[in-house]
Amino acid sequence: MNISTYTVKPKLPPSLKPLEEIAKNLWLSWNFDAVQLFIRLDYDVWLQSQQSPARALGMVSQERLAQMAKDDSYLAALNEVYSRFLRYKKGETWYRGTRKDVVAYFSMEYGMDVSLSIYSGGLGILSGDHMKTSSDMGLPLVGIGILYRQGYFKQILNADGFQQESYPENDWYNMPVERKTDKTGAPIKITVDLAGRQATAQIWEVKVGRSSLYLLDTNIEENAPDIRNVTATLYGGDKETRIQQEILLGIGGIRALRALGINPAATHMNEGHSAFLGLERVREIMTEKGFSFDEAKEAVWPTNIFTTHTPVPAGNERFDIGLIDKYFHNWPQILGISWKDFLSLGRVQPDDDHETYCMTVLALKMAAYANGVARLHGKVSRDMWRGLWPGLPLDEVPIGHVTNGVHPRTWVSSGMTDLLDRYFGPHFDEEPTDLAIWNRMDRISDEELWRTHERRRERLVAFARDRIRQHYKRTGAVERRMQQAEDALSPYALTLCFARRFATYKRGNLLLRDPERLLRLVRDTDRPVQLIFAGKAHPHDMPGKELIREIIHFAEKYDVTSRIVFIENYDMTVARYLTSGGDVWLNTPRRPLEASGTSGMKAAMNGVLNCSILDGWWDEAYNPEVGWAIGQGEEYEDTQLQDDIESKALYDLLERDIIPLFYQRGRDGLPREWIKRMKSCMREIGQSMSSHRMLMDYSNKFYFPALKNYRRILKDDYAESRALAAYFAKLRSSWNNLRIIKIESNAKPVMQRGDSLTVTAHIELGALAPEELRIELYHGSVSNQSNDIMNAQRTEMKAVGQEGSQYLYQVRIECTDTGFQGHTVRILPKHGALVHPYRTGFIKWA
């Protein structure tokens, strides 16, 4: 069939033209007054458009548009919003440096608004908040991702409570994306090789305030049907689809930026999906400069940043070697290295021919900067990947942490934001990096804060009833069932919310473990308690789907469907209602399997108190003034025992602390002690878990140093990188000849605090010069159990002389700690261009 195609755009009266620009910029997603402009146009159309401003503009009748173009009240609101939008784009920001070179942020998914369905859950929501915050702060950062034709699935529960999936097609021409074109109007395209076949992708742009997100799309005519389907579904298909998507994201993403004239001076890999970008960046420099692989890698390594989100080995992306061979068999030749060396880039043990190719390992080896997403997760990650740095103490494994955060104006409800704006002042909106503004929480009266929160709970209940009614109608429920939806939940009862991906380790059914105790709580008419659940299981996760059905069956079996409800199709809209309208946010993962989690942060900024296992972000944020901890951070080998203990602890908290505190009311009907905790929670979490704090951490720890490294490397035409490659070539040939011959000291069996200890090491350097090595005294308390040095200090030793072929290194330290102490000597690389000295295989101990 021969079809001629063209694009039809809304025809707006001149006075309404700003609506088109606002609709195409996701700035509106965190400015509710901008969203209200589209609601006011036509509320029925707004609902039909599924809350998509861009689509709603095309659905409103011309008669209605003409009418609103003459409505002075509406035009005044439009002009006010548009003026603020322009001021935002042109205003001063936290970052005021050059924008010539950018940080390119790569993520498999982005959750920025319900109108752009290219996200599945926490990783995508975090990426969306990352982009919004970058816009607020004016950072030189662009996003790279994939434009999925179907996005993630829509969850549908059948009458039995079993999850089913549907994949509605996205209509890009009525969404906030625009195809990038060249000066002639032709789409800008790039190509990548997929197992000997050329895959072509066009590029779309999403405007996010001041920032831009670029998305790759292979669904174009010049591609074969299977290539067009590479960008069909997020996390869909098999392993082959995944490697194709990750080649497109990593390699194609770099090429897309080049095609757009954007220089990715530094790159941030948000999870390992995009790790192939490291290979592409190396290939670029080799091609342009004629460098060797090692020289090009040393130029790229100081400008790569990697964030891991996975706390268990099985969760890291791995590919069979056969698949790597199919898609990368010619890359060793391109890079000028052997097939074994190419595979070693993705292996912990390079000599293990049975080890698969791991994207996390590739990212860690290609990046100078690496981090987990919470303090506890950083520790877990160091332990998980310590095998990449054999011989290096756990606390020195070069994986730090930047705890996740959430974008306040996206997740704090509109009603609560209005309240905060009144008491915090314009500074709250205009300078979001001034986190101390949250200390003004005590200015808000108890009455105003509580009434605002009660209105949010009322809206949550109304929303839940509507969703339940829709579910019953779709499944053909009888009239009695439809009536039950009207009675579901109470706007006055203590509301507990549990909403997240349904995976077994998150234990969505923990509260169901003792039915008798739970039923006693939800059937209590004097102090009523109700539970709202939401969340999707992965389409292939049958145990996760069974958890959802178990909850629904429990409510049916014990006739408590008015007190225990499950809201289907958890998305950003559902999340906003739950995180602002609940009273307590439940989180029950098996520690330490929750990398960070951010839903509880969103709830906390709305004054919803957390009750959680000490895992992820809550491990570092918890104190008794902001919520409750289930347990004390214990970890168990016996999961049944763990579930028994922690479910009982949760029941005890509810019965003894949470429920009594909520219903402890004064004559004015206010729960003053509960409100006191709400204020403490909002004050503390608003500061510590804001995404603006997160981006300041990323900027100061990683982005700014990486950009500085890039400019320094470029300044002398990569001479530093070539020198570093030559240095490591010399190290590799000479390292085995290094010898720590002996260590001498003036230590006595018993030393006094304040005594000086002088240590001398005799070392044979072979072909290496003293200035090419860092000789350290490694000292501290000695463990009685393992004979290891605990809480070690590292002090550099200086060359003080030479005896024949041996160099003498010496240092003097003071005995400051009492107890059983010890010391040893070690050797590390030393070069002025190194970000850190921890390179695989280069550490030698006495």
Side-chain angles (χ1 to χ4, degrees):
M1 185 182 297
N2 186 11
I3 300 176
S4 300
T5 62
Y6 45 87
T7 303
V8 178
K9 293 187 176 182
K11 184 180 179 181
L12 297 178
S15 59
L16 300 184
K17 279 290 185 183
L19 283 173
E20 195 165 19
E21 186 178 351
I22 294 171
K24 290 289 188 177
N25 193 310
L26 289 181
W27 172 84
L28 64 76
S29 68
W30 68 93
N31 288 275
F32 187 66
D33 53 352
V35 174
Q36 284 182 311
L37 294 173
F38 298 90
I39 297 175
R40 284 181 65 182
L41 271 180
D42 191 316
Y43 183 67
D44 290 335
V45 164
W46 174 251
L47 295 180
Q48 293 169 26
S49 75
Q50 298 179 329
Q51 303 177 44
S52 171
R55 183 181 292 115
L57 274 186
M59 295 172 63
V60 176
S61 68
Q62 291 300 136
E63 291 77 13
R64 179 61 175 170
L65 290 173
Q67 179 185 352
M68 297 304 287
K70 299 176 183 178
D71 187 321
D72 58 348
S73 171
Y74 184 82
L75 292 177
L78 171 58
N79 291 331
E80 168 59 28
V81 169
Y82 189 56
S83 296
R84 192 158 60 83
F85 173 57
L86 295 179
R87 288 198 304 272
Y88 173 86
K89 291 205 297 182
K90 297 176 182 178
E92 286 192 350
T93 59
W94 179 78
Y95 175 78
R96 299 177 185 179
T98 177
R99 301 179 187 281
K100 178 183 176 183
D101 305 312
V102 305
V103 176
Y105 178 79
F106 287 71
S107 185
M108 199 75 165
E109 53 174 302
Y110 290 87
M112 291 178 291
D113 189 63
V114 70
S115 67
L116 188 60
S117 180
I118 55 170
Y119 66 95
S120 70
L123 181 70
I125 298 298
L126 176 74
S127 301
D129 282 4
H130 201 105
M131 292 300 302
K132 294 173 184 178
T133 310
S134 173
S135 168
D136 287 344
M137 295 169 61
L139 293 176
L141 181 145
V142 298
I144 294 290
I146 293 176
L147 191 67
Y148 301 100
R149 191 171 76 245
Q150 295 176 328
Y152 204 48
F153 69 89
K154 179 181 179 181
Q155 181 192 52
I156 300 170
L157 301 181
N158 66 15
D160 188 44
F162 187 77
Q163 173 183 293
Q164 297 171 315
E165 299 86 29
S166 72
Y167 293 86
E169 295 275 336
N170 285 317
D171 176 11
W172 303 128
Y173 298 94
N174 282 307
M175 288 186 168
V177 296
E178 289 191 355
R179 187 163 48 186
K180 298 300 291 181
T181 58
D182 60 21
K183 293 179 181 179
T184 68
I188 297 174
K189 299 176 183 178
I190 58 96
T191 62
V192 294
D193 181 89
L194 296 180
R197 303 167 68 199
Q198 289 294 305
T200 302
Q202 59 185 350
I203 307 166
W204 299 74
E205 180 182 14
V206 180
K207 294 185 183 299
V208 189
R210 302 179 178 97
S211 300
S212 289
L213 165 64
Y214 298 103
L215 303 171
L216 298 172
D217 170 25
T218 62
N219 185 29
I220 52 181
E221 289 183 358
E222 51 257 63
N223 287 327
D226 60 323
I227 299 296
R228 296 183 70 163
N229 284 332
V230 168
T231 56
T233 308
L234 172 61
Y235 303 139
D238 54 15
K239 276 290 187 181
E240 187 143 12
T241 303
R242 287 295 286 272
I243 197 170
Q244 291 172 341
Q245 289 182 337
E246 295 181 13
I247 289 170
L248 179 66
L249 177 63
I251 297 174
I254 293 292
R255 294 178 184 178
L257 291 173
R258 298 294 185 202
L260 293 167
I262 297 170
N263 178 34
T267 57
H268 182 178
M269 298 169 275
N270 189 42
E271 200 42 288
H273 306 119
S274 59
F276 291 135
L277 70 81
L279 303 179
E280 173 64 8
R281 296 189 72 200
V282 167
R283 184 201 64 79
E284 283 186 330
I285 294 175
M286 291 178 68
T287 302
E288 179 186 350
K289 296 293 181 179
F291 286 178
S292 69
F293 173 80
D294 289 336
E295 290 171 334
K297 184 186 174 189
E298 294 300 343
V300 167
W301 182 76
T303 64
N304 277 345
I305 302 135
F306 170 58
T307 298
T308 176
H309 292 261
T310 310
V312 291
N316 293 274
E317 187 83 85
R318 289 182 177 273
F319 295 113
D320 290 338
I321 300 305
L323 207 53
I324 294 293
D325 183 32
K326 179 177 179 179
Y327 284 89
F328 288 92
H329 70 276
N330 62 332
W331 271 80
Q333 182 180 354
I334 293 171
L335 300 177
I337 58 177
S338 69
W339 177 243
K340 181 178 180 180
D341 286 344
F342 181 82
L343 291 181
S344 73
L345 293 172
R347 284 173 164 170
V348 177
Q349 302 294 337
D351 294 325
D352 182 359
D353 292 337
H354 299 289
E355 185 178 349
T356 53
Y357 197 90
C358 180
M359 297 297 284
T360 302
V361 173
L362 175 62
L364 286 168
K365 288 188 176 183
M366 297 299 291
Y369 305 98
N371 69 282
V373 289
R375 184 176 63 194
L376 177 61
H377 181 237
K379 180 181 177 182
V380 170
S381 298
R382 286 190 290 277
D383 187 45
M384 188 189 312
W385 299 112
R386 65 189 307 177
L388 287 171
W389 295 273
L392 192 63
L394 180 61
D395 64 339
E396 292 183 85
V397 170
I399 302 175
H401 80 274
V402 172
T403 302
N404 284 343
V406 299
H407 189 252
R409 286 195 170 265
T410 294
W411 295 107
V412 176
S413 71
S414 58
M416 189 65 75
T417 298
D418 289 343
L419 181 66
L420 298 181
D421 281 338
R422 286 206 307 275
Y423 284 92
F424 288 6
H427 202 58
F428 181 49
D429 181 35
E430 294 167 1
E431 295 192 38
T433 53
D434 182 8
L435 303 176
I437 199 78
W438 287 92
N439 289 325
R440 296 182 179 180
M441 275 304 306
D442 289 332
R443 295 184 179 185
I444 302 173
S445 69
D446 289 357
E447 291 83 358
E448 281 192 278
L449 182 61
W450 187 245
R451 298 308 173 210
T452 300
H453 178 66
E454 283 194 313
R455 284 194 294 272
R456 292 310 307 176
R457 192 190 312 114
E458 290 167 3
R459 291 181 182 179
L460 168 59
V461 169
F463 172 78
R465 287 173 176 173
D466 184 58
R467 282 298 186 93
I468 296 167
R469 192 163 46 244
Q470 291 178 32
H471 169 71
Y472 283 157
K473 184 177 180 181
R474 182 176 48 75
T475 56
V478 297
E479 183 60 33
R480 180 181 61 84
R481 282 288 212 173
M482 299 295 291
Q483 187 59 43
Q484 285 180 346
E486 305 299 329
D487 299 328
L489 306 174
S490 163
Y492 311 108
L494 172 63
T495 303
L496 315 180
C497 294
F498 181 99
R500 52 196 22 88
R501 180 167 60 89
F502 264 73
T504 52
Y505 81 87
K506 293 178 182 283
R507 297 188 294 178
N509 61 347
L510 191 65
L511 258 181
L512 277 56
R513 198 163 182 85
D514 188 336
E516 186 177 337
R517 289 182 81 171
L518 177 57
L519 292 171
R520 192 160 59 240
L521 298 179
V522 298
R523 288 171 173 167
D524 189 329
T525 55
D526 294 327
R527 301 189 303 182
V529 176
Q530 57 196 14
L531 285 84
I532 303 178
F533 291 90
K536 298 177 179 179
H538 188 278
H540 302 306
D541 183 4
M542 295 305 296
K545 292 184 177 184
E546 285 300 323
L547 282 179
I548 295 172
R549 184 154 61 173
E550 180 183 352
I551 291 167
I552 293 170
H553 281 208
F554 182 95
E556 297 277 357
K557 177 180 179 180
Y558 294 104
D559 194 23
V560 287
T561 53
S562 64
R563 286 290 175 261
I564 300 177
V565 304
F566 191 100
I567 299 177
E568 68 182 350
N569 200 37
Y570 184 43
D571 62 6
M572 291 183 73
T573 297
V574 177
R576 284 193 176 103
Y577 277 99
L578 292 174
T579 55
S580 64
D583 297 300
V584 176
W585 195 260
L586 291 177
N587 189 29
T588 54
R590 296 192 195 281
R591 177 186 165 112
L593 301 184
E594 183 92 310
S596 171
T598 57
S599 59
M601 302 175 189
K602 299 162 189 142
M605 288 187 192
N606 281 286
V608 178
L609 303 181
N610 277 261
C611 179
S612 174
I613 299 291
L614 288 172
D615 198 7
W617 75 280
W618 192 239
D619 179 68
E620 62 195 83
Y622 165 73
N623 74 63
E625 299 303 314
V626 300
W628 294 271
I630 303 169
Q632 298 178 337
E634 303 90 346
E635 295 176 20
Y636 300 80
E637 292 186 8
D638 185 335
T639 57
Q640 289 299 316
L641 176 64
Q642 179 181 15
D643 291 351
D644 284 340
I645 292 173
E646 292 179 343
S647 63
K648 289 174 182 176
L650 176 54
Y651 289 125
D652 288 344
L653 281 173
L654 288 169
E655 293 167 350
R656 299 174 187 176
D657 294 340
I658 296 173
I659 297 172
L661 188 68
F662 182 83
Y663 286 105
Q664 181 184 319
R665 308 293 173 102
R667 290 184 177 180
D668 54 8
L670 296 178
R672 297 280 182 178
E673 287 302 312
W674 188 277
I675 297 170
K676 182 180 178 182
R677 288 205 186 196
M678 288 176 65
K679 289 183 176 180
S680 295
C681 176
M682 296 174 73
R683 179 173 54 248
E684 294 190 26
I685 305 305
Q687 295 181 73
S688 64
M689 296 301 155
S690 163
S691 56
H692 298 90
R693 184 274 312 152
M694 176 181 75
L695 260 292
M696 286 190 283
D697 284 351
Y698 272 116
S699 297
N700 292 322
K701 290 182 177 181
F702 304 142
Y703 292 170
F704 296 162
L707 290 172
K708 184 178 179 181
N709 293 342
Y710 173 80
R711 293 173 188 131
R712 189 184 68 247
I713 291 168
L714 208 63
K715 187 177 181 180
D716 59 3
D717 197 28
Y718 297 94
E720 182 181 280
S721 304
R722 295 198 303 272
L724 198 55
Y727 168 72
F728 275 107
K730 184 178 180 181
L731 274 192
R732 279 190 291 272
S733 65
S734 305
W735 193 256
N736 290 335
N737 296 324
L738 285 174
R739 298 284 189 277
I740 302 174
I741 304 301
K742 62 179 178 178
I743 302 172
E744 301 171 329
S745 76
N746 65 337
K748 296 176 288 188
V750 178
M751 305 281 286
Q752 300 293 317
R753 174 183 280 172
D755 286 353
S756 291
L757 177 68
T758 300
V759 180
T760 304
H762 295 247
I763 300 177
E764 284 191 359
L765 302 185
L768 296 169
E771 63 271 16
E772 293 179 315
L773 297 168
R774 179 179 174 91
I775 314 300
E776 289 184 344
L777 183 70
Y778 189 83
H779 55 103
S781 302
V782 178
S783 168
N784 290 322
Q785 180 179 356
S786 63
N787 207 34
D788 292 331
I789 294 178
M790 312 298 291
N791 301 315
Q793 298 182 52
R794 298 165 286 277
T795 307
E796 186 172 6
M797 305 177 76
K798 301 298 182 183
V800 296
Q802 189 173 3
E803 293 181 357
S805 62
Q806 298 177 15
Y807 281 84
L808 275 59
Y809 285 82
Q810 195 172 83
V811 69
R812 187 172 68 178
I813 61 172
E814 184 177 315
C815 296
T816 56
D817 296 326
T818 60
F820 193 38
Q821 303 290 307
H823 63 260
T824 188
V825 171
R826 69 181 188 179
I827 305 174
L828 291 167
K830 184 178 182 179
H831 192 285
L834 278 173
V835 174
H836 60 71
Y838 307 123
R839 292 290 190 95
T840 300
F842 292 113
I843 183 169
K844 189 175 290 285
W845 293 88

